[in-house]
Amino acid sequence: MKKLLLYLTVMFSLTLGACKSNVVEVANLDGFVFEDESITPAFPGGGYPRFETLDTDTLLYFNNGRVYKSHDHAESWTYNSITENASFLAVSSTGKTHELWLENWQGFVMDDGTVMVSYRARTKEYKSGEFYTSIRVMTSNDGAETFKNEVIVAENTTNGFHGYWEPFMIQPDKNTLLLFYSDDLNVNSVGPQQNIVYHKYNIEDGTWSDAFVAIDGVKRNSRDGMPVITKLTDGGYAMVIETQDYHNRFHNFTFGQSVFVISLSLSKDGETWSQPVPVVAPLDIRGKNRCAAPFVTTLADGRIIISYMTEDGFLGNRVSDEVLNCVYGAVISSKPITTDTKIQSTKGGPAKGFAPLPDIFTEPFNGYMVWNTVYCDGQYVYFAGSAGANDGAFDTSVRVRRANVSAISYPNSGGIK
């Protein structure tokens, strides 16, 4: 209801000419059948929820050092630990021992069925002094039952809370994985800028390359972070990231105050990326609200859905932790996205060619939802996010809802992997 009221308010303002942002389109949900929210399971701990498909009958869900399995499309789950063979201590080059936090678990199923999981390991409860940061991976060859062979892909130390964050993997060909993450340590800048970088993994010989810059946030004067990538139906890729294109400066002739907006970049090969274009921003770009923590998935007909957290539409009592004043947001493209699509920049709200989805979840008063995700396996689209109450009324959990999209036909013979 709150998004509907917000939508009507914006449309009324547009009619009066009081708002000069993009016209808010109506989402085309032909083929969608939203399941009742009562199927929603709750998982303890919150954090970043991440889905993958192991096979046609097994949905995987990674969160807080666990992998969950469902054989009935997210109605029931079993789980096991990922961390049994992970290290919780690291000794830096200075000889200092760091107790580690393991976070941002991102699973990936390779073409041959091998399951890899990437994550960040960094100094636990850091306050000052030396800070240890790393990106690591582990592998499962038994269907995500056990994960072994922890490998450190990148690590470093610094004096200050700067490091490597939010890994995400893709497989562009049968012998190559690309592991992306955000880096605000090796940016050659004293400001808040952040780059999106990646390493290549040679599957045949098991070696990792040095880091390459995929998106240069320093040149863009932006803190570009939280990369998430989906394969498009033309074989290329789309990446969504948090960006600061409207943070206290003019961008596309619009001055903004929003700390974060969601931008989209395209690539034919997964390595060379287009200039990011802001596609989702707060409805009032000057109102200091954010759109952050994005995720993206591709539907069978080539359209994409982008999920994110936003203060737009939050109705509860605001608290000092601004993250806990966010709710679930999602937009869908009106047409298939390909690597040749001309993306238009937003000046508030969804960009032209994108429309907001209706309320996916019914948040209680003071309810928040952060670290969102959306995932399509061909039959269903799964929506999820870490939920809780900013007044402490109930514990943080992960809420999941699904929509049946099996009525959407495949334009080509390819899948959505």
Side-chain angles (χ1 to χ4, degrees):
M1 177 60 71
K2 61 181 179 295
K3 290 182 184 175
L4 176 61
L5 293 174
L6 192 61
Y7 170 81
L8 293 175
T9 301
V10 172
M11 293 303 293
F12 181 68
S13 298
L14 287 167
T15 303
L16 294 178
C19 178
K20 298 185 192 241
S21 63
N22 299 324
V23 173
V24 178
E25 301 179 38
V26 176
N28 176 11
L29 298 181
D30 292 343
F32 280 71
V33 178
F34 283 90
E35 306 287 352
D36 192 279
E37 194 173 341
S38 64
I39 71 165
T40 304
F43 306 107
Y48 292 79
R50 299 294 187 247
F51 291 98
E52 258 285 56
T53 303
L54 181 60
D55 52 52
T56 55
D57 297 318
T58 308
L59 180 68
L60 301 180
Y61 161 89
F62 295 82
N63 179 248
N64 277 8
R66 291 177 175 178
V67 56
Y68 296 81
K69 290 184 180 181
S70 177
H71 302 289
D72 52 15
H73 310 293
E75 292 196 43
S76 62
W77 299 84
T78 59
Y79 72 86
N80 52 275
S81 173
I82 304 174
T83 63
E84 291 180 357
N85 294 293
S87 300
F88 287 86
L89 294 175
V91 179
S92 72
S93 59
T94 66
K96 181 178 176 62
T97 298
H98 293 259
E99 187 178 0
L100 301 178
W101 260 346
L102 311 183
E103 305 169 306
N104 293 160
W105 298 91
Q106 175 66 58
F108 182 76
V109 179
M110 296 166 57
D111 292 347
D112 64 1
T114 300
V115 183
M116 293 191 74
V117 61
S118 56
Y119 50 99
R120 72 186 188 199
R122 53 95 165 180
T123 301
K124 185 176 182 179
E125 298 177 352
Y126 176 77
K127 295 181 180 178
S128 62
E130 185 180 83
F131 179 72
Y132 173 88
T133 180
S134 67
I135 296 293
R136 304 178 178 212
V137 298
M138 284 194 294
T139 303
S140 173
N141 294 309
D142 57 5
E145 288 296 316
T146 57
F147 288 83
K148 301 178 180 180
N149 304 323
E150 184 179 51
V151 175
I152 300 174
V153 179
E155 67 176 343
N156 214 326
T157 56
T158 186
N159 289 318
F161 194 68
H162 298 284
Y164 309 139
W165 321 99
E166 301 127 5
F168 194 93
M169 287 184 285
I170 62 172
Q171 184 174 356
D173 60 61
K174 65 179 182 179
N175 193 46
T176 308
L177 291 182
L178 302 180
L179 171 58
F180 294 78
Y181 58 92
S182 48
D183 173 9
D184 69 351
L185 193 156
N186 299 309
V187 294
N188 298 319
S189 171
V190 296
Q193 295 90 347
Q194 184 168 257
N195 292 335
I196 305 298
V197 303
Y198 69 95
H199 297 258
K200 291 184 181 181
Y201 177 67
N202 186 301
I203 297 174
E204 184 176 349
D205 62 25
T207 59
W208 291 92
S209 73
D210 293 334
F212 300 90
V213 175
I215 297 179
D216 196 325
V218 174
K219 286 184 178 179
R220 288 175 21 81
N221 187 28
S222 176
R223 186 174 178 82
D224 294 341
M226 297 198 70
V228 175
I229 301 169
T230 186
K231 190 169 186 179
L232 303 173
T233 51
D234 70 348
Y237 298 90
M239 178 195 294
V240 289
I241 54 175
E242 289 180 342
T243 66
Q244 294 184 317
D245 293 67
Y246 297 97
H247 185 37
N248 293 328
R249 65 178 184 268
F250 281 96
H251 181 79
N252 292 330
F253 307 103
T254 299
F255 184 79
Q257 295 290 332
S258 177
V259 177
F260 284 119
V261 298
I262 308 304
S263 292
L264 182 67
S265 178
L266 301 172
S267 174
K268 292 184 181 297
D269 61 4
E271 296 191 53
T272 302
W273 293 87
S274 65
Q275 183 78 354
V277 177
V279 292
V280 184
L283 289 166
D284 179 5
I285 202 68
R286 300 171 180 83
K288 298 185 179 180
N289 283 352
R290 79 184 71 192
C291 293
F295 214 86
V296 63
T297 196
T298 304
L299 301 181
D301 61 1
R303 290 180 294 167
I304 66 172
I305 297 177
I306 301 171
S307 69
Y308 52 94
M309 66 185 196
T310 177
E311 285 102 330
D312 273 356
F314 180 79
L315 298 178
N317 296 325
R318 293 183 177 267
V319 295
S320 58
D321 186 345
E322 294 182 358
V323 170
L324 303 188
N325 301 324
C326 290
V327 292
Y328 191 99
V331 298
I332 185 171
S333 64
S334 56
K335 297 180 180 179
I337 299 296
T338 71
T339 50
D340 296 319
T341 299
K342 303 301 181 184
I343 306 297
Q344 298 192 37
S345 180
T346 177
K347 294 183 179 179
K352 184 177 180 181
F354 290 86
L357 290 176
D359 286 343
I360 304 299
F361 300 94
T362 304
E363 293 94 358
F365 193 73
N366 280 344
Y368 68 83
M369 182 168 281
V370 295
W371 320 134
N372 296 273
T373 193
V374 60
Y375 178 77
C376 183
D377 67 357
Q379 180 177 358
Y380 291 98
V381 178
Y382 301 92
F383 305 88
S386 295
N390 62 20
D391 59 7
F394 56 89
D395 293 333
T396 301
S397 63
V398 173
R399 299 172 66 186
V400 182
R401 193 180 181 194
R402 75 184 186 208
N404 192 324
V405 291
S406 57
I408 297 177
S409 62
Y410 285 83
N412 304 308
S413 61
I416 304 180
K417 184 64 179 170

